[in-house]
Amino acid sequence: MDSTSLRERQKERRRARIYSVAIDLFKRGGFQTTTATDIARASNVSRGTFFNYYPYKEAVLLDYGSEVMNRLRDHAEARLHEGTPPLTVLYEVWDRLAEENTRERDLFPPLAYEVMNPNPERARTAYQALPLSKVIELILRPMHHAGQMRTDLSLQRISNLIADTYLMVALRWSAYGTERPLREEMRLALGLLLEGAVRRDLPRP
């Protein structure tokens, strides 16, 4: 193994350790109260080293969100390959998202706020790390090809609107609470959206 490969592996291991420690601290002590100094100290690295890997604290959450999106995409691809109806797959992904957000309720608001960061570069980075609309587009594409979707809106725009709705409803639920479980809130929102995106004569899952 050459020295460059060794250094890269060491960097990957250090980043993985910082990430793991940070997420654990966020869950135990809360995102807002955990500082970059706390993370660096618990990871046995300097504060400067932490910022070499994560330019701001919220960037750690983007890695977490990216992992969630990858799992959702893998699930969607596998289910579609099995021949599962796209709408069923969409509801499954929707439910999995709701379960993840319910389990990690304190992590979701700062993650969602990062997508809406007033700094365009940070907002763009967050959007790219959390491609929920791309997962939705993947799921709905077979219906689009079969002529089962609205034709006055592009598939991309429909997918973006569905993803944006999830973001806002889940953020409100995480931040303020509601009498209904998040899964129920999200199914209600998705049902309302699909009434405007899918032909009314199609069977519902």
Side-chain angles (χ1 to χ4, degrees):
M1 182 184 300
D2 60 41
S3 59
T4 301
S5 297
L6 179 60
R7 284 196 300 271
E8 288 303 314
R9 287 178 180 271
Q10 290 173 337
K11 288 174 63 177
E12 290 174 3
R13 286 196 293 269
R14 187 177 295 117
R15 182 185 179 93
R17 183 172 74 251
I18 293 172
Y19 169 77
S20 177
V21 167
I23 293 297
D24 182 61
L25 290 176
F26 294 158
K27 291 180 180 180
R28 290 193 288 113
F31 177 81
Q32 299 298 339
T33 58
T34 301
T35 67
T37 300
D38 295 333
I39 299 169
R41 184 181 298 116
S43 303
N44 295 317
V45 300
S46 69
R47 179 180 167 88
T49 297
F50 170 81
F51 286 118
N52 284 338
Y53 288 92
Y54 294 103
Y56 40 92
K57 188 175 66 169
E58 289 80 2
V60 178
L61 291 180
L62 298 186
D63 276 3
Y64 158 72
S66 182
E67 286 185 356
V68 173
M69 291 299 112
N70 287 337
R71 291 200 301 270
L72 293 176
R73 175 177 287 277
D74 289 345
H75 174 80
E77 289 179 340
R79 293 290 281 155
L80 290 171
H81 184 72
E82 293 170 0
T84 307
L87 283 183
T88 299
V89 177
L90 181 57
Y91 271 95
E92 289 176 357
V93 165
W94 212 244
D95 289 346
R96 283 176 174 236
L97 258 178
E99 290 167 6
E100 181 75 26
N101 289 170
T102 300
R103 185 167 56 251
E104 306 299 349
R105 183 168 183 164
D106 291 339
L107 297 184
F108 186 75
L111 185 59
Y113 288 137
E114 192 61 22
V115 178
M116 299 179 286
N117 196 296
N119 182 319
E121 185 174 342
R122 282 181 56 164
R124 189 181 308 111
T125 299
Y127 180 80
Q128 292 171 348
L130 306 169
L132 177 57
S133 64
K134 298 297 184 183
V135 178
I136 295 171
E137 188 174 343
L138 167 74
I139 296 169
L140 295 180
R141 189 171 294 121
M143 296 181 66
H144 179 70
H145 288 163
Q148 297 172 332
M149 303 294 297
R150 289 176 54 163
T151 58
D152 59 326
L153 295 174
S154 68
L155 178 59
Q156 181 182 29
R157 188 172 183 187
I158 291 172
S159 301
N160 284 338
L161 288 170
I162 293 174
D164 290 347
T165 298
Y166 183 92
L167 180 69
M168 296 308 299
V169 176
L171 177 58
R172 186 185 65 230
W173 182 90
S174 297
Y176 306 116
T178 176
E179 296 179 356
R180 286 191 293 267
L182 179 57
R183 180 178 182 273
E184 185 178 332
E185 288 279 0
M186 298 319 310
R187 279 187 160 248
L188 174 62
L190 181 58
L192 289 173
L193 284 170
L194 292 180
E195 286 297 323
V198 181
R199 282 182 6 206
R200 295 181 182 276
D201 59 341
L202 290 178
R204 296 294 186 266

